[in-house]
Amino acid sequence: MSIEVNFDGLIGPTHNYAGLSFGNVASTQHRNQQSFPRQAVLQGLEKMKTVAAMGVEQYFLPPPCRPNFLALQLLGFSGSNTDMVKDCFAHSPALLASVYSAASMWTANAATVTPSTDSADGKLHLTPANLARTFHRSFDHRHTAQSLRKIFASSDRVIVHDALPPAHALSDEGAANHTRLCAGHSGPGLHLMVFGFDPFDNSLPVPQKFPARQSRAASEAIMRRHGAANFLMIQQTPIAIDAGVFHNDVISVGNENVLLYHETAFIDSQQVIGRINQFFADQNEAWFPFEFSSSQLPIRDAVQSYFFNSQIVTRPGGKMTLVCPIEVSETPTAKACAERVVASDGPVDEVRYFDLRQSMNNGGGPACLRLRVVVDKENISRLNSRFRIDQAMVERLGNWASEHYREQLSVDDLVDVALIDQAQRADLELRKIIEA
Ligand code: SUG
């Protein structure tokens, strides 16, 4: 028996809007606006609390301590911590914002996961994503690997790999471009691996406006090292990328036997759907695909509302909840799509809306904030419970954030040297919660 465990990113104290992600429309739109770090972390905790109350095993991944002084040293800054921050800001506020980034919160980009049922050696494999395409995220994989190794330290048959080398040709953005379909978590899964470019094939169409982030070579390397055989390599359409779909989870979402996707999500959708049909037919199982056309949901509305970045959560009885960002309820086309899914005879029978605007303003919806890991039943009790979300932990983390997070933060505030101390103190106190 296996169940799915959700790992949400705990939003860090230096959450800010520096507009660092070219091709991510929300990030660009909110560049240099004031952020609200305390509100951000509380919004994330509220989602974790509610999802846990739905009966899902919910854990969190802690944020790395920022600013990243190691990165500043590698970039040639020297002297005291204060000197480095001031010199970096004088040189480039965007560079300072990069080493202060709280982007690790989007744990859909933390790693790619292959459960033990799908790997050749019967082990659970996790590869932290190198995030090589975005400088401000490219250092996070070390901290991710450390956290995952702590959480799975007592587990049997779990391998946390190192990230792939940080080359453009191997640019990897983790589970945001990966969907595992299955009739049930204990049975075999079919892995949809969606890539934006192939560094070794110049004949494929490429986006003209925005960068493609996920490399085909990276996705293949991960399947190979995980020993996963049952996967489809699918190219994301350049049209979608150029419309602001920087990850596949902005245009499609799947859970077990349900797949929601936009007609522009994949090159050769029909072939993809045919292969999925075959996978379920081979097991004599039904599945529930929902295609949304551009007339039902213009791609601009999909990007604006983040409808496809909803989480689909299986409740203990087997029925599913669509966990949508509140923006879906404010976008008539997207709201109608959510209602269509709930009104169908498929497993999704309710929709719930969440205010996650602090994360949304940087291009991260409900599904971006979580990493799904299918874990064998016997390993569940071996997970490090210091990272587990229950009512008491939500209160502890809420109190911790209320004490250590600023209410507001602007990109110019990042040069305020008092922030260094505040962020380090928050990190120290969080370690006490995790390590006590
Ligand atoms: O990589 N935004 C993130 C958002 C990631 C969303 N994740 C998924 N779709 N799974 C990104 O673009 C914004 C940072 C800034 O502008 O300060 C940022 O990194």
Side-chain angles (χ1 to χ4, degrees):
M1 274 289 284
S2 299
I3 65 166
E4 188 177 271
V5 182
N6 258 347
F7 290 85
D8 275 44
L10 185 66
I11 299 176
T14 64
H15 161 62
N16 68 86
Y17 299 129
L20 300 174
S21 278
F22 180 58
N24 168 343
V25 177
S27 157
T28 304
Q29 274 172 355
H30 293 90
R31 179 196 302 254
N32 292 338
Q33 289 192 8
Q34 246 347 302
S35 66
F36 294 84
R38 193 184 301 161
Q39 193 184 19
V41 67
L42 295 178
Q43 287 177 346
L45 280 169
E46 183 63 27
K47 176 171 85 80
M48 291 190 228
K49 184 174 92 176
T50 312
V51 170
M54 286 179 199
V56 175
E57 275 298 307
Q58 179 72 57
Y59 282 67
F60 71 93
L61 293 179
C65 189
R66 292 289 177 255
N68 185 341
F69 286 112
L70 182 66
L72 285 172
Q73 282 164 352
L74 287 172
L75 294 168
F77 293 100
S78 58
S80 67
N81 287 351
T82 306
D83 290 341
M84 285 193 273
V85 163
K86 286 190 164 164
D87 290 351
C88 181
F89 186 78
H91 172 73
S92 160
L95 189 58
L96 184 62
S98 298
V99 299
Y100 250 124
S101 172
S104 69
M105 68 172 83
W106 298 298
T107 51
N109 306 116
T112 305
V113 181
T114 304
S116 56
T117 37
D118 303 338
S119 64
D121 59 5
K123 293 181 181 170
L124 165 63
H125 289 258
L126 301 103
T127 291
N130 61 24
L131 293 165
R133 206 73 169 84
T134 45
F135 172 73
H136 66 286
R137 308 195 67 182
S138 62
F139 293 92
D140 288 348
H141 63 87
R142 289 193 191 87
H143 180 77
T144 301
Q146 260 174 23
S147 301
L148 290 172
R149 285 174 184 145
K150 269 185 205 154
I151 292 170
F152 288 100
S154 309
S155 304
D156 221 13
R157 302 161 68 77
V158 175
I159 299 185
V160 179
H161 298 263
D162 287 334
L164 292 171
H168 176 245
L170 291 176
S171 151
D172 172 29
E173 305 260 332
N177 298 307
H178 165 235
T179 307
R180 177 177 185 264
L181 297 175
C182 58
H185 288 305
S186 306
L190 175 65
H191 298 260
L192 313 186
M193 304 297 291
V194 181
F195 63 91
F197 71 103
D198 182 339
F200 304 119
D201 184 351
N202 292 332
S203 70
L204 296 184
V206 287
Q208 301 301 308
K209 195 169 156 198
F210 293 142
R213 292 212 200 168
Q214 182 76 30
S215 146
R216 176 180 186 136
S219 302
E220 287 172 340
I222 290 168
M223 291 294 90
R224 205 177 297 124
R225 54 157 63 172
H226 289 191
N230 209 5
F231 62 88
L232 301 179
M233 296 301 307
I234 303 167
Q235 190 184 354
Q236 197 180 4
T237 67
I239 293 171
I241 295 173
D242 280 340
V245 179
F246 56 98
H247 290 137
N248 174 61
D249 67 5
V250 179
I251 196 124
S252 120
V253 57
N255 178 54
E256 297 189 85
N257 55 5
V258 174
L259 181 68
L260 317 186
Y261 64 101
H262 194 264
E263 65 171 336
T264 65
F266 315 125
I267 285 186
D268 216 346
S269 258
Q270 270 187 1
Q271 200 191 352
V272 172
I273 298 304
R275 297 281 298 274
I276 303 173
N277 274 333
Q278 195 57 53
F279 169 75
F280 281 101
D282 287 348
Q283 298 170 72
N284 244 326
E285 295 281 358
W287 77 293
F288 302 87
F290 293 85
E291 184 179 277
F292 299 90
S293 66
S294 297
S295 55
Q296 289 166 322
L297 183 61
I299 195 163
R300 173 202 283 260
D301 287 5
V303 171
Q304 180 64 35
S305 68
Y306 259 41
F307 168 67
F308 292 105
N309 206 263
S310 300
Q311 255 175 273
I312 309 178
V313 173
T314 307
R315 306 194 303 275
K319 286 292 188 184
M320 301 181 191
T321 302
L322 197 57
V323 170
C324 292
I326 197 154
E327 285 76 358
V328 169
S329 72
E330 298 164 351
T331 310
T333 48
K335 189 165 186 232
C337 292
E339 284 164 0
R340 172 183 149 200
V341 175
V342 172
S344 74
D345 61 357
V348 181
D349 69 350
E350 74 166 355
V351 54
R352 294 178 73 161
Y353 295 103
F354 283 80
D355 180 357
L356 293 162
R357 286 195 212 275
Q358 283 298 305
S359 167
M360 284 285 286
N361 290 349
N362 245 341
C368 297
L369 285 163
R370 62 96 179 89
L371 177 70
R372 295 179 285 184
V373 185
V374 173
V375 180
D376 308 339
K377 260 265 158 80
E378 58 269 27
N379 266 329
I380 295 289
S381 56
R382 297 188 183 150
L383 298 183
N384 188 333
S385 61
R386 294 278 168 197
F387 296 82
R388 185 167 185 271
I389 290 290
D390 58 14
Q391 183 65 35
M393 184 55 99
V394 169
E395 264 168 45
R396 258 186 117 176
L397 293 173
N399 291 339
W400 161 80
S402 300
E403 190 175 337
H404 297 289
Y405 281 44
R406 288 191 181 191
E407 200 183 327
Q408 296 189 31
L409 194 62
S410 71
V411 172
D412 284 344
D413 292 335
L414 298 178
V415 75
D416 173 5
V417 292
L419 185 63
I420 303 175
D421 198 41
Q422 281 169 351
Q424 289 186 335
R425 189 164 296 276
D427 184 64
L428 200 73
E429 294 302 318
L430 180 60
R431 277 166 201 257
K432 289 185 191 160
I433 295 177
I434 297 169
E435 284 160 16

